Amino acid sequence: MSEKKAILAVSFGTSHKETREKTIGAIEEDMRRRFPDYQVRRAFTSGMIMRILRERDGIQVDNVAEALKRLADEGFDQVVLQPTHIINGDEYDKLMRQARECQSLFHRLNTGKPLLTDSADYEAVCRAIMGEFSHLKKDEALVLMGHGTGHFADAAYAALDYRFKALGAENVFVGTVEGYPGIEEVRGQVRKYSPRRVILLPLMVVAGDHAVNDMAGDEEDSWRSVFEKDGYETRCVLKGLGEFPEIREIYMEHILKAAKQQG
């Protein structure tokens, strides 16, 4: 008897419907095309987002444990759990704890890696973003705004910035809202480069609240406002990384590796 196989796509989540379908939805559709023998299911890790969707929109999204138990009840015995998270931080640790608790429910349960995990991932992400902004001029700076975290995985953002420079992208800068490098460190680097224009892009799967408010908002402490005060012509690109096909392809490769581990 053939095994029932599923991919559980695990995202932090977003309450913004439009960006959810363009990003998380697009990643899940790529999973269905690339892995037709697997059913694709969705789970979120943010309790706040799940509560908003349930109370405001009447949409029920399972957390990891709920989704895995549902798959087990439906007779799935081979599951690949693939996070869409950027780094191996708190949210990834949380989903791994929930996955371990459900390990015994399946014949095989393997977990793929977040976007920035091994050295090859960093180069692939840099090249994907550089490809999307191949038109970037020498007098322009591309500033990527990541989330940041108190988790030790916060080091991934500085490592990504370093990798851009190593690949020759001297005018690409990586910063975070809640970690390091922060806006002040990025401002200092941009000031040294002295561009005419600053282009802001969220280093997040979805262009949600942080992108709309912290990056592109009208408040005086938004990144757009800060760089405009510094005298730069500033443009915001409200696109999540999930909208970029080459970024989605990295997730597909992570699923492939996890599926091969299952034999």
Side-chain angles (χ1 to χ4, degrees), residues 29 48-49 60 68 91 95 108 110 152 164 168 174 189 191 195 213 230-231 249-250 253 260:
E29 279 304 306
M48 178 186 67
I49 294 298
Q60 174 63 39
L68 288 174
E91 296 298 315
L95 75 86
R108 297 185 184 92
N110 283 41
F152 61 81
F164 273 113
V174 179
Q189 292 181 5
R191 191 177 300 117
N213 297 313
D230 285 347
E249 181 60 25
I250 299 170
E253 291 299 316
K260 284 181 178 179

Side-chain angles (χ1 to χ4, degrees), residues 59-116:
I59 297 173
Q60 174 63 39
V61 179
D62 289 339
N63 64 29
V64 174
E66 291 168 342
L68 288 174
K69 289 173 184 175
R70 191 184 302 276
L71 287 169
D73 289 342
E74 294 178 21
F76 287 89
D77 43 23
Q78 185 169 324
V79 176
V80 175
L81 190 158
Q82 178 57 52
T84 69
H85 300 86
I86 302 294
I87 62 173
N88 294 259
D90 289 318
E91 296 298 315
Y92 179 69
D93 288 349
K94 179 166 64 176
L95 75 86
M96 288 301 293
R97 286 194 299 270
Q98 292 177 320
R100 281 193 294 270
E101 292 169 1
C102 297
Q103 187 82 41
S104 62
L105 299 176
F106 304 95
H107 180 52
R108 297 185 184 92
L109 173 60
N110 283 41
T111 303
K113 300 299 184 182
L115 187 67
L116 292 173

Side-chain angles (χ1 to χ4, degrees), residues 4-11 23-43 62 67 70-71 74 76 78-84 252 255:
K4 290 183 68 175
K5 300 187 292 186
I7 296 170
L8 181 60
V10 182
S11 305
T23 55
I24 295 171
I27 293 170
E28 293 168 351
E29 279 304 306
D30 279 8
M31 291 176 180
R32 293 184 180 95
R33 284 194 293 269
R34 283 288 299 274
F35 304 96
D37 294 338
Y38 290 75
Q39 283 200 33
V40 176
R41 301 291 179 86
R42 172 183 291 181
D62 289 339
R70 191 184 302 276
L71 287 169
E74 294 178 21
F76 287 89
Q78 185 169 324
V79 176
V80 175
L81 190 158
Q82 178 57 52
T84 69
M252 301 307 115
I255 293 172

Side-chain angles (χ1 to χ4, degrees), residues 20 84-85 95 109 123 145 162 178:
R20 186 168 64 242
T84 69
H85 300 86
L95 75 86
L109 173 60
E123 180 161 344
M145 188 192 76
Y162 192 102
E178 298 181 12

Side-chain angles (χ1 to χ4, degrees), residues 148-203:
T149 174
H151 191 281
F152 61 81
D154 193 57
Y157 297 103
L160 185 66
D161 183 90
Y162 192 102
R163 187 62 66 94
F164 273 113
K165 306 301 188 296
L167 292 172
E170 297 290 337
N171 54 342
V172 180
F173 305 90
V174 179
T176 68
V177 180
E178 298 181 12
Y180 182 90
I183 181 65
E184 291 307 315
E185 287 78 24
V186 176
R187 286 175 78 189
Q189 292 181 5
V190 170
R191 191 177 300 117
K192 289 179 182 177
Y193 186 79
S194 191
R196 173 181 59 86
R197 174 187 294 167
V198 170
I199 299 169
L200 297 171
L201 175 76
L203 185 67

